[in-house]
């Protein structure tokens, strides 16, 4: 049987699970454009999207819709157009990036953050938007009008409530078990508030799909810059789709073993083996239209705990099913 190559892996992925163009544009802006100043000429963006089968028409429709939704802003210079991350959207990109690239490190101190609305304190549109944003941030609806999370970030919550326009209309507090009163353990709220089965399945599917790729990257010649960019983008796109549904619960409240830990280490290893080639392709593409396009900022190199070509997943895939356990742990 012919040995699978990185090229064949890419072709199979794009044929079996082609990314939606608008979502793919979001991935590329967050992963590749934001570190380079957050702005790109439309011609360069068309060139970056071409290997994914996204044509000019689909791309123009996607960026137009993202601009309408408040993610991007368009600028014209004569007959040319550029797109940039809207300043108001930057905190959301940064928050998503922290979730994607930061290791699982939250520990539980026994407390919960509760967000409560009083009777009639917010109207129906505010309530609907609040629910959407709170669930996206990983909170569970503990009871009608009450959201809770055992590892809340106060700064992120403040920004979320301000953006929704309800920060002066809600009660926010920390709660813990009352000593001397018999009750169910507070950790039981995890089972009541979150169904983690979909997230678990998503992580396991990610591992099964990308572990063979890691083996290829450890045995084949280094992929060409454009291939490295495609692989890195597909990796982040697939990982992001699962990870942004993860409520990011503290380690002590997660099932053991937790496949999210294995998925993170796998993503880190594949990213480490492709980021340099991908950066070469990104810079070459950007500078065809903009001689002054900046190199990636310092924060980029802190992703996944610090980028080095020698990163490897070690024993972190030991709980993964099937082919995931065959991923090589040897660095190139």
């Amino acid at each position: 049987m012919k040995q699978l190559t990185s090229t064949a892996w890419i072709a199979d992925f794009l044929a079996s699970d082609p990314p939606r163009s608008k979502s793919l544009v979001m991935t590329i802006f967050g992963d590749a454009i934001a570190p380079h100043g957050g702005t790109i000429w439309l011609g360069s963006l068309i060139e970056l999207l071409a290997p994914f089968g996204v044509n000019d028409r689909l791309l123009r429709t996607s960026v137009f819709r993202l601009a309408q939704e408040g993610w991007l802003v368009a600028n014209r210079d004569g007959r040319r157009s550029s797109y940039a991350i809207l300043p108001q959207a930057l905190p959301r990109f940064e928050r998503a990036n922290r979730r994607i690239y930061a290791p699982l490190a939250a520990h539980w101190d026994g407390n919960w953050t509760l967000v409560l609305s009083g009777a009639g304190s917010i109207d129906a549109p505010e309530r609907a938007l609040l629910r959407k944003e709170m669930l996206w941030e990983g909170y569970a609806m503990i009871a009608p009008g009450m959201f809770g999370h055992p590892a809340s970030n106060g700064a992120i919550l403040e920004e979320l409530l301000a953006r929704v326009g309800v920060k002066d209309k809600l009660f926010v507090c920390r709660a813990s078990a009352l000593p001397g009163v018999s009750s169910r353990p507070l950790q039981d709220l995890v089972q009541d508030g979150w169904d983690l089965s979909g997230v678990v399945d998503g992580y396991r599917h990610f591992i099964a799909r990308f572990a063979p790729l890691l083996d290829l990257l450890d045995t084949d010649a280094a992929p060409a810059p454009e291939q490295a960019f495609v692989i890195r983008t597909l990796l982040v796109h697939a990982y992001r789709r699962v990870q942004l549904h993860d409520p990011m619960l503290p380690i002590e409240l997660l099932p053991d073993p937790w496949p999210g830990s294995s998925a993170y280490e796998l993503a880190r290893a594949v990213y480490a083996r492709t980021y340099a080639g991908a950066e070469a392709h990104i810079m070459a593409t950007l500078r065809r239209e903009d001689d002054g396009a900046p190199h990636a900022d310092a924060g980029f190199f802190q992703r996944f705990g610090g980028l080095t070509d020698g990163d490897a997943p070690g024993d972190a895939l030991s709980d993964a099913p099937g082919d995931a356990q065959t991923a090589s742990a040897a660095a190139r």
Side-chain angles (χ1 to χ4, degrees):
M1 181 179 293
K2 187 177 180 180
Q3 176 71 30
L4 183 67
T5 64
S6 297
T7 302
W9 185 94
I10 291 171
D12 177 72
F13 190 105
L14 291 176
S16 61
D17 189 17
R20 292 186 299 110
S21 58
K22 190 175 81 166
S23 181
L24 185 61
V25 170
M26 284 288 287
T27 296
I28 289 177
F29 262 92
D31 182 66
I33 308 305
H36 293 272
T39 300
I40 185 171
W41 290 105
L42 180 60
S44 298
L45 190 58
I46 290 172
E47 187 175 344
L48 287 180
L49 270 291
F52 302 93
V54 178
N55 60 35
D56 187 337
R57 181 182 60 81
L58 276 175
L59 178 56
R60 290 175 187 273
T61 300
S62 297
V63 292
F64 175 76
R65 289 177 177 171
L66 289 170
Q68 283 188 316
E69 294 170 8
W71 292 100
L72 305 178
V73 59
N75 297 287
R76 293 195 65 84
D77 182 4
R79 300 180 63 181
R80 297 198 305 168
S81 297
S82 67
Y83 282 86
I85 298 172
L86 194 69
Q88 294 90 326
L90 275 173
R92 301 185 73 183
F93 274 97
E94 292 167 357
R95 194 165 77 241
N97 284 349
R98 282 195 298 269
R99 287 175 57 118
I100 293 168
Y101 304 113
L104 177 64
H107 290 278
W108 193 43
D109 62 3
N111 291 293
W112 284 68
T113 296
L114 300 179
V115 179
L116 306 89
S117 61
S121 61
I122 59 177
D123 59 30
E126 289 174 331
R127 189 177 302 109
L129 181 57
L130 176 66
R131 183 178 186 277
K132 177 183 175 182
E133 292 292 332
M134 295 295 284
L135 294 179
W136 190 90
E137 193 56 46
Y139 282 75
M141 183 171 282
I142 304 299
M146 179 188 296
F147 297 92
H149 197 284
S152 175
N153 181 302
I156 291 175
L157 180 59
E158 171 76 5
E159 186 272 329
L160 184 158
L161 297 179
R163 177 159 37 83
V164 175
V166 296
K167 72 173 186 175
D168 296 324
K169 301 179 181 181
L170 302 174
F171 302 99
V172 179
C173 61
R174 288 175 62 79
S176 60
L178 187 63
V181 177
S182 299
S183 63
R184 291 177 62 188
L186 280 181
Q187 53 262 48
D188 286 1
L189 280 175
V190 171
Q191 298 176 8
D192 293 345
W194 289 273
D195 178 3
L196 297 176
S197 59
V199 178
V200 168
D201 290 344
Y203 278 134
R204 287 177 175 165
H205 177 75
F206 172 85
I207 293 168
R209 194 68 188 268
F210 282 87
L213 172 63
L214 178 60
D215 193 45
L216 288 175
L217 294 173
D218 281 335
T219 56
D220 282 0
E226 184 179 82
Q227 276 192 326
F229 169 72
V230 172
I231 290 171
R232 187 180 112 180
T233 301
L234 292 176
L235 171 82
V236 173
H237 189 72
Y239 183 62
R240 166 178 168 264
R241 275 170 39 180
V242 182
Q243 205 274 342
L244 293 183
H245 289 90
D246 187 336
M248 306 300 290
L249 299 174
I251 295 171
E252 293 82 1
L253 302 181
L254 291 169
D256 186 20
W258 175 240
S261 300
S262 303
Y264 176 84
E265 292 300 326
L266 175 58
R268 181 174 74 91
V270 175
Y271 203 92
R273 287 154 176 76
T274 56
Y275 82 88
E279 283 300 298
H281 179 67
I282 292 165
M283 285 303 303
T285 303
L286 293 177
R287 289 199 167 172
R288 271 192 275 278
E289 290 197 274
D290 180 4
D291 291 339
H295 287 283
D297 58 33
F300 170 81
F301 297 96
Q302 301 307 311
R303 291 177 172 181
F304 290 106
L307 296 172
T308 64
D309 286 333
D311 284 345
D315 297 328
L317 301 180
S318 59
D319 70 336
D323 289 340
Q325 296 186 32
T326 69
S328 171
R332 283 193 300 162

